[in-house]
Amino acid sequence: MDKLIDSFKSLWETIKPTGAIMIAGIAIIVGAFASNRYLQLPLQYWQVISLVLVGLALLLYGFNRTGRASNVDKLGISLENNCLIIKRAGVNASTSQIKIKIENIENERCLKDKVVGLPVNSDFQDECVKRQNSATGAYINACLSGGVEARYNEILNLFNDVPKRIGSTMLVRDFLNKGDNIIFTAVTEKNNQGIITTTPINISYAMQELVKTARASNFLEISCPVFGSGHGGVAPRTAIKAMIDGIFGAFEVFGCNNMTVTIKVLNNTFNSIKSIKQAIGNE
């Protein structure tokens, strides 16, 4: 009984800021349907429909604002040493965290007990692997000291047995004998026009699968660039928020204790770490 009361209290604290708006919406809808029969108000059909639409608009607005407030409240965002530290209440991995830094992904090699998550297209036949203007290509070029073209087919052969779909992952330890541990993760796909694209839902799912793969392989430190904000066409702010949702989703489902996932953001995307905090912390 006490747990039930606490649940209602928690629910009320969540909806309280917009509770009056939602109650007003319900009252308008009920009043519209009851006008002729109980309130003796001879409203025309179009007037009833108009009132119902107004009531629904108020309800949707209230629920929308409630959901946003709830998500923001769950995120604990702090700024330490020019790095964002993000934790979320209620997650089944209280010792795990997300970090966000303004730094190029290729600036730090992921060796030994570290792993880097690199985005690729779902067909795993991705020329971004060798292009230095992509995050994946920049890391691979740094790893191979620029000799990607000569080994491009060798890289593609690594993916022969990978399922070709969004969320598929391929862990390569000691990548081409260079020592790097890489989880290639399918984030984007080609649409009917052959254009590479993705969605926030795909980004979240791909991120969850990346964390799942890392956990299964006993990696506790993951670094990755912002997924889907390049050729995927998703705005960086939206992409980062989708990644955060996916990471915490993985923490919740798989219980990833003592794990740190670092999202590295290009310095031409945001002008400061504080601007990232503002972007992901406010709707």
Side-chain angles (χ1 to χ4, degrees):
M1 187 63 180
D2 289 336
K3 288 185 178 180
L4 182 62
I5 293 172
D6 289 338
S7 296
F8 278 114
K9 286 181 178 179
S10 177
L11 176 63
W12 171 246
E13 288 302 316
T14 300
I15 69 171
K16 185 166 60 176
T18 54
I21 295 173
M22 289 188 284
I23 291 171
I26 294 171
I28 290 172
I29 294 171
V30 172
F33 284 113
S35 59
N36 287 327
R37 185 168 183 179
Y38 298 107
L39 302 179
Q40 304 300 314
L41 295 174
L43 296 180
Q44 298 296 318
Y45 180 75
W46 67 268
Q47 292 174 313
V48 173
I49 295 300
S50 297
L51 287 172
V52 170
L53 290 176
V54 170
L56 286 174
L58 291 174
L59 276 175
L60 289 173
Y61 176 80
F63 279 122
N64 187 39
R65 296 304 302 174
T66 297
R68 290 179 175 183
S70 178
N71 288 335
V72 170
D73 287 344
K74 288 180 180 179
L75 285 181
I77 306 176
S78 59
L79 181 58
E80 298 178 15
N81 299 322
N82 210 30
C83 173
L84 289 184
I85 309 294
I86 306 174
K87 295 186 177 183
R88 190 166 76 179
V91 171
N92 184 30
S94 59
T95 57
S96 294
Q97 62 184 355
I98 299 171
K99 291 183 178 181
I100 300 180
K101 296 180 177 180
I102 295 180
E103 182 182 344
N104 290 357
I105 189 66
E106 69 272 19
N107 285 0
E108 180 186 3
R109 302 275 295 279
C110 290
L111 312 171
K112 297 182 180 179
D113 57 350
K114 296 181 180 181
V115 67
V116 62
L118 297 180
V120 294
N121 201 48
S122 61
D123 60 6
F124 284 84
Q125 301 294 309
D126 198 340
E127 289 199 354
C128 288
V129 168
K130 58 182 179 180
R131 292 178 179 170
Q132 293 195 38
N133 63 347
S134 73
T136 299
Y139 189 94
I140 298 300
N141 272 278
C143 174
L144 299 179
S145 301
V148 178
E149 190 68 45
R151 308 192 71 175
Y152 181 59
N153 290 331
E154 187 179 354
I155 294 170
L156 295 185
N157 288 337
L158 295 171
F159 309 135
N160 287 341
D161 298 325
V162 183
K164 306 304 189 287
R165 60 174 183 266
I166 291 289
S168 289
T169 59
M170 175 69 182
L171 168 63
V172 181
R173 295 178 184 269
D174 189 18
F175 177 73
L176 300 185
N177 299 315
K178 295 296 182 179
D180 300 75
N181 302 308
I182 303 174
I183 300 176
F184 293 94
T185 308
V187 179
T188 57
E189 58 187 349
K190 291 182 180 177
N191 61 19
N192 294 333
Q193 289 75 43
I195 299 172
I196 294 177
T197 185
T198 193
T199 66
I201 292 175
N202 286 345
I203 293 171
S204 290
Y205 177 63
M207 205 62 226
Q208 182 166 318
E209 291 300 298
L210 167 59
V211 174
K212 175 184 175 182
T213 301
R215 180 185 181 277
S217 304
N218 297 316
F219 287 107
L220 297 179
E221 291 189 50
I222 308 171
S223 294
C224 55
V226 178
F227 282 5
S229 65
H231 292 120
V234 177
R237 171 183 179 272
T238 303
I240 293 171
K241 289 170 73 71
M243 292 178 73
I244 292 171
D245 286 343
I247 295 167
F248 281 127
F251 286 174
E252 185 69 44
V253 173
F254 306 117
C256 308
N257 287 305
N258 301 313
M259 181 174 280
T260 296
V261 181
T262 302
I263 301 172
K264 297 189 176 182
V265 182
L266 291 173
N267 57 16
N268 61 358
T269 305
F270 290 91
N271 56 21
S272 69
I273 201 71
K274 289 183 179 179
S275 64
I276 300 176
K277 182 176 185 295
Q278 183 178 13
I280 65 173
N282 297 294
E283 295 290 339

